[in-house]
Amino acid sequence: MEAPILFAGGTGVIGREGVKAFRKRHPRVPILIGARDMTRAHSLAEEVGKAAAVQIDINRPRLGLEKDDQLGGVVMMAPDDGLTGLSHAQDLRVPYLSMGNWLVEVGAEMAHVIRRPDASPVVLASHWHGGPAVFLTQAATRSMDAVHSVSVGAIVDEQDPTGPAAIADMERGSEGGSGVWAFDDGRRVWLNGTAASREIRALDGRRLNGSALTPYDIVSLHSMTQARSVRFDLAMAESSSRRRGEGIATELVVEIEGELRDSPCHRRLTLEFGKGQAALTGLSGALALSMVLGLEGKPAFPSGLYFPELLMDADWYLNELRAEGAVIEL
């Protein structure tokens, strides 16, 4: 029997979306929904099919599972604070994907992978919404000769449901370091005070006040483009979609400055997803998981440390988002 994929935190707002997105793509792969609330876990297992609920405790070795339990992969949809999920995946030598940690915390995962580099493929996918800003930038900069700056503006509708775990995670992320990390004029900087806010122009043209964040996008964008300036800002406000009289949507705006054929080049890329931020994040996680497991017509990835953009082609990823209703303007 094929070993099941464990979704730890699978009953949370984002976890549920990740489970459902993965099940939609792979109806025959067995799933374990790991949670503390067994009622919710059993309900979700019945809803998606070929799934079972299992009680986990992220503070115990092996996530509280029995020593002989077999898994085909471990997906942490909630913060892996003690890295028990990562350690368990490495012990089992199965893929591990994390979507709940902040960039300032990445040293812990890196230490585990450096110590056991051949144990498992480890995917750090805690980018905003699982990485769409990175893929938008990758698609838009391929034809550019040089990239000088990348600025990402994320807009989350204030009515978009966010679970208590996600809120706590956001609060924890805002406390990291002495400010918010970015690249400015070729140097790593900590943004504080007025420097930690920026105006974001929404899809409908409104000017919103955004606050700087440090998701994994910062380092992915910097390493990809070699831009001297990279920053990420978030605004919580009424979405452009809701202002049009439609439903809640989550928005991304990426602005790129660079050069094309010896002339200055400015590109503005936008993404609007009408199913909300949790569904977009869950979908991105399911796509990355599918690729690392080798379920998309390509071989499974070997042991190593990966970001989502190292697993997936930008055009393929963006087309998968479009197929689920994303409106993308490059």
Side-chain angles (χ1 to χ4, degrees):
M1 179 180 174
E2 186 177 2
I5 308 301
L6 171 67
F7 284 79
T11 60
V13 174
I14 294 174
R16 289 179 60 89
E17 297 295 339
V19 169
K20 290 191 287 186
F22 184 79
R23 169 56 72 234
K24 182 177 179 180
R25 297 189 71 84
H26 308 294
R28 292 184 293 276
V29 177
I31 291 173
L32 283 180
I33 300 170
R36 290 174 297 184
D37 186 333
M38 286 294 94
T39 300
R40 294 172 61 188
H42 283 298
S43 176
L44 181 58
E46 288 185 13
E47 178 183 347
V48 300
K50 201 171 175 62
V54 61
Q55 193 158 41
I56 62 170
D57 184 345
I58 62 172
N59 297 313
R60 294 177 58 196
R62 301 187 301 277
L63 299 170
L65 300 174
E66 296 297 327
K67 194 170 185 179
D68 57 353
D69 285 345
Q70 296 300 307
L71 300 174
V74 176
V75 184
M76 294 298 302
M77 303 300 294
D80 195 2
D81 289 338
L83 299 185
T84 50
L86 174 56
S87 296
H88 191 39
Q90 289 182 310
D91 288 343
L92 296 174
R93 307 187 75 83
V94 298
Y96 170 88
L97 185 144
S98 169
M99 300 195 72
N101 288 351
W102 289 91
L103 180 57
V104 294
E105 302 169 322
V106 72
E109 282 99 336
M110 290 177 61
H112 280 248
V113 176
I114 290 170
R115 181 172 291 275
R116 303 173 68 183
D118 299 325
S120 301
V122 174
V123 183
L124 304 181
S126 297
H127 300 62
W128 190 255
H129 295 332
V134 178
F135 289 101
L136 286 170
T137 303
Q138 189 176 54
T141 57
R142 282 184 298 219
S143 62
M144 296 176 65
D145 300 321
V147 178
H148 300 320
S149 69
V150 181
S151 297
V152 181
I155 301 168
V156 172
D157 195 297
E158 55 205 358
Q159 293 186 6
D160 200 342
T162 302
I167 293 173
D169 186 41
M170 289 284 290
E171 292 173 347
R172 191 179 85 256
S174 66
E175 296 170 353
S178 59
V180 181
W181 194 34
F183 287 90
D184 183 32
D185 195 23
R187 300 183 65 185
R188 287 178 288 195
V189 297
W190 289 99
L191 303 174
N192 292 281
T194 57
S197 63
R198 179 175 67 88
E199 190 177 77
I200 300 173
R201 183 159 58 96
L203 270 63
D204 60 6
R206 280 174 300 148
R207 305 281 180 170
L208 302 175
N209 184 47
S211 299
L213 281 180
T214 313
Y216 281 34
D217 304 64
I218 295 291
V219 291
S220 283
L221 291 168
H222 184 263
S223 63
M224 176 195 302
T225 66
Q226 302 296 305
R228 290 180 61 81
S229 298
V230 180
R231 66 178 289 161
F232 188 107
D233 296 84
L234 169 68
M236 302 272 303
E238 184 180 15
S239 60
S240 302
S241 174
R242 189 156 62 91
R243 282 174 62 87
R244 295 194 303 266
E246 301 174 14
I248 291 169
T250 193
E251 303 175 28
L252 272 176
V253 179
V254 182
E255 299 197 69
I256 302 170
E257 299 283 353
E259 297 175 22
L260 178 62
R261 292 188 288 274
D262 298 323
S263 297
C265 176
H266 173 262
R267 290 184 170 168
R268 175 179 161 90
L269 326 168
T270 63
L271 180 148
E272 185 176 50
F273 194 69
K275 298 178 182 178
Q277 57 88 21
L280 180 54
T281 307
L283 173 60
S284 295
L287 293 174
L289 176 63
S290 297
M291 291 299 290
V292 77
L293 291 171
L295 299 177
E296 296 293 341
K298 295 183 178 181
F301 278 74
S303 298
L305 186 62
Y306 302 94
F307 282 149
E309 66 270 21
L310 301 177
L311 303 176
M312 297 177 280
D313 172 77
D315 292 334
W316 179 85
Y317 170 85
L318 295 175
N319 283 334
E320 293 299 321
L321 263 57
R322 288 188 180 100
E324 293 297 327
V327 178
I328 298 171
E329 298 291 340
L330 294 176

